[in-house]
Amino acid sequence: MPLFTAFLSGWSPFFAKISSLPSYYHALRGDRHVWILQCHQIYGTKIRVTPGALVFLSAPAFRDIYGARSNVQRSKSYEYWQRNERDVNTLITSDVALHHKKRRILNLVFTERSIRAAASFIQKHVDRWNELLIDGDGQDWSKSRNLTEWSDYLIFDILCDLCFGKSLNIKEPGENPFKGIPKAIHSYVRFSFPFTKSPFLGLLLWLKPRGPSKLLDIITPADTKAYYRFIEESVAARRKAEELSKKPGHNSDPSRQDMFHFLFQAKDPDTGKPAYSQQELFAEANLLVIAGSDTTAINLCGFFFYITRNPRPYQKLIEEIRSTFDSAHEIVGGPKLSSCRYLRACLDESMRLTPAVPSELSRTILAGGLTIDGEHYPAGVEVGTAAWSTGRSDEFGDPFVYRPERWLVDQTTGVTSEEVARISSLVHPFSAGWGNCVGQNLAILELLTTIARTLYRLDVRAEPGSALGEGAPELGWGRRDRKQFQLDDAYVALRDGPMIQFKKRKI
C-alpha cells in the first residue's frame, strides 16, 4: 500500500519507479545531488527517487517533514553507518525515543558555557592558520593554497583540541602521521555512502550482525580503518586524562574545559549516572568528528570560492570587517561580531550554494501517516528534501548568482523582511526540528571568527588561471557552470579546491 500510494503521487524517471538502482548508481558516481536537481527540473517539486521514497522541493514540505512534531523517524539507511550493534550515536539512531534521550544529554554539552569555553581554542588556531597562509613577510601573494586541505587542517586541529584535549597540529608544515586523517574521513564516507542507497540495503542490515560485518571489515579501505583507530585511541587517551585529573594531588589544568570534559561530566537525567559508556563515547566521538570538522570545512571552502570570484561583495565585506574592528584580536563572539550583517549574509549565501549535506536527510513516515504540502502519505514511505536542490530553487529568482544582499532587509534594494523570511524557509544548513545540528552555534562561531580574522589581516584572491573546484562543460548537466563550486555527494559533501592566494593587507 505505501509503495502504491507513493507511485501515484510522485513523478520520476521510469526506472526509479521500479528499482532503487538509479539512486544507487548516482550514489556510486558521487552526483546523486545533481541527479535529484535534474529530476526536479524535469518532473516538478515532488519526485520519486526509489519505488518507496519521495523527495520534495518546497518550504511547506520541509516544515512538514523535519518539524519538531513530524510523525517520522530516521530511515533505516542510517543504521548502515553503525560498525556493530553497540555503535549507536545521536546522529544515526532511527529509534525516536532513543534519539530524544541521547539528544537531551548531548544538549548539555553544547551549552552557552561550553561554547564560550571553546572560543579561546578557536581564536588560537585561527591566528596560527593566518600566519601559515602567507609566505615570508607576506608582502607578496603567497603560493596557492588548496582550501580543501587547508580548511580541513584548521577545523580538524580545532576539533581535536575541543574534543580530545590536544591539537594534532596537522596544519603545521612538515611530516605528521595524522595529516592523512581528514582524507581518511573522506574515504570512509565515500566508501560507505553507496551502501546506504543499495537495492540490497534491507538484506545488508539483516545480515550485518550475522557475519557480514567481519567481511566488511576485511574490504574496508586502509584509510577508513586508520580513522577508526584514531577515534578509539583518542577517546581512550582523553578518558584516561580526565580520570587522572580527578585524583587527589594530580597536577591538572582546571581550566581545560574542552568538549569531552563536558561529555564526561554529563549525567543521565533519568538515572543520575554517567551518561556515556566507553562504547557510547566512541560512537559520539565519531559523530562529533565528522559533523564537527568536515561540514564546517565544507562551508569555509564554499565561502572562499564565491567571495574570491565576486569582487563587489568581497570589497564590501572587507570594508565592513576592517571598519568595525580596530584589531584582529578584537574579533570575538559577541555583539560587535554579530553587528557585521554583511559578513553573515555572505556566509548564508555561500551555505545556500554549498550545503554540507547535498541530498535528502531521509525520514520514514510512522504509523498514522503524514500530511506533506497538503497531501497525505501512509506509514512506510521515505521522504525528504535535498539541500542542493532547495538552494537552487527558482524561488530565488537568480538561484545560481552569488548575491548576499538577498539576505538583508533594505529599502534601497527592495528586499523586504517578508522576502528574507520566504527564502529563509527554503535554506536550512543545519536542518531543523529534533534532528537539527546540535553544534550549529559552535559551527557559526568557528566560521565567523575564521572569516573575519582572516579578512581583517589578509587580502585574498583566487589563483589566476586555476579552475580547481569550478564547473566545466565536459562535466555534464548541472556541473557546467564555472561560477558554481562543485561537490561530490557522499552523504556529506566532498570537494577539491578552490586554489586561493593570500598576502598581508596594506595599512
Side-chain angles (χ1 to χ4, degrees), residues 161-428:
D161 216 351
L162 290 176
C163 284
F164 306 130
K166 63 178 181 179
S167 170
L168 299 180
N169 293 321
I170 62 173
K171 63 182 174 297
E172 298 294 334
E175 295 295 320
N176 187 320
F178 297 107
K179 275 196 171 179
I181 294 298
K183 287 186 178 179
I185 295 174
H186 299 168
S187 172
Y188 166 62
V189 295
R190 190 183 292 276
F191 171 76
S192 300
F193 179 62
F195 286 102
T196 71
K197 303 303 176 184
S198 166
F200 308 107
L201 175 64
L203 179 62
L204 284 172
L205 292 177
W206 183 81
L207 288 172
K208 206 173 180 185
R210 295 166 172 81
S213 288
K214 295 179 181 178
L215 176 60
L216 287 171
D217 282 341
I218 294 172
I219 65 173
T220 297
D223 280 352
T224 302
K225 292 179 180 178
Y227 167 66
Y228 287 152
R229 286 195 301 272
F230 165 75
I231 291 293
E232 291 169 356
E233 291 168 3
S234 297
V235 171
R238 184 64 186 87
R239 182 168 194 164
K240 184 177 180 180
E242 186 75 13
E243 290 170 350
L244 282 173
S245 70
K246 296 177 182 179
K247 292 186 177 180
H250 182 75
N251 186 18
S252 62
D253 179 6
S255 65
R256 181 76 211 188
Q257 296 185 342
D258 53 40
M259 205 68 69
F260 262 64
H261 168 79
F262 291 101
L263 282 175
F264 289 127
Q265 297 295 319
K267 303 294 183 183
D268 187 322
D270 297 329
T271 66
K273 296 180 179 179
Y276 297 103
S277 66
Q278 180 87 344
Q279 182 61 44
E280 287 171 326
L281 283 171
F282 290 151
E284 295 300 336
N286 191 30
L287 159 65
L288 292 173
V289 168
I290 293 179
S293 65
D294 216 43
T295 54
T296 308
I298 291 162
N299 289 323
L300 204 54
C301 286
F303 169 83
F304 278 104
F305 178 90
Y306 287 106
I307 205 66
T308 56
R309 284 161 173 77
N310 292 274
R312 184 193 54 77
Y314 170 71
Q315 194 60 39
K316 190 172 179 179
L317 177 58
I318 61 173
E319 288 174 2
E320 179 184 70
I321 293 170
R322 295 172 185 180
S323 64
T324 301
F325 300 99
D326 295 323
S327 73
H329 294 294
E330 192 183 346
I331 299 173
V332 297
K336 206 166 187 179
L337 185 58
S338 298
S339 74
C340 294
R341 296 175 61 241
Y342 198 71
L343 167 61
R344 182 57 193 263
C346 288
L347 178 59
D348 286 342
E349 184 72 340
S350 63
M351 289 194 295
R352 173 181 76 85
L353 291 167
T354 316
V357 181
S359 293
E360 79 278 19
L361 296 169
S362 183
R363 301 289 186 259
T364 300
I365 298 175
L366 296 172
L370 181 68
T371 298
I372 302 173
D373 208 357
E375 189 169 353
H376 190 77
Y377 297 91
V381 176
E382 292 187 17
V383 292
T385 66
W388 183 265
S389 297
T390 55
R392 287 162 172 75
S393 167
D394 290 339
E395 292 287 323
F396 290 95
D398 53 356
F400 297 97
V401 174
Y402 182 79
R403 186 165 60 83
E405 285 78 8
R406 74 175 83 243
W407 299 98
L408 297 172
V409 176
D410 190 336
Q411 288 184 343
T412 60
T413 60
V415 178
T416 65
S417 57
E418 291 79 12
E419 173 66 10
V420 173
R422 185 179 67 82
I423 64 173
S424 296
S425 68
L426 283 164
V427 179
H428 303 272

Side-chain angles (χ1 to χ4, degrees), residues 142-161:
S142 69
K143 295 177 182 177
S144 296
R145 314 298 191 194
N146 187 329
L147 254 290
T148 287
E149 294 179 358
W150 282 73
S151 61
D152 280 343
Y153 292 163
L154 168 65
I155 301 301
F156 199 75
D157 274 353
I158 291 173
L159 184 84
C160 287
D161 216 351

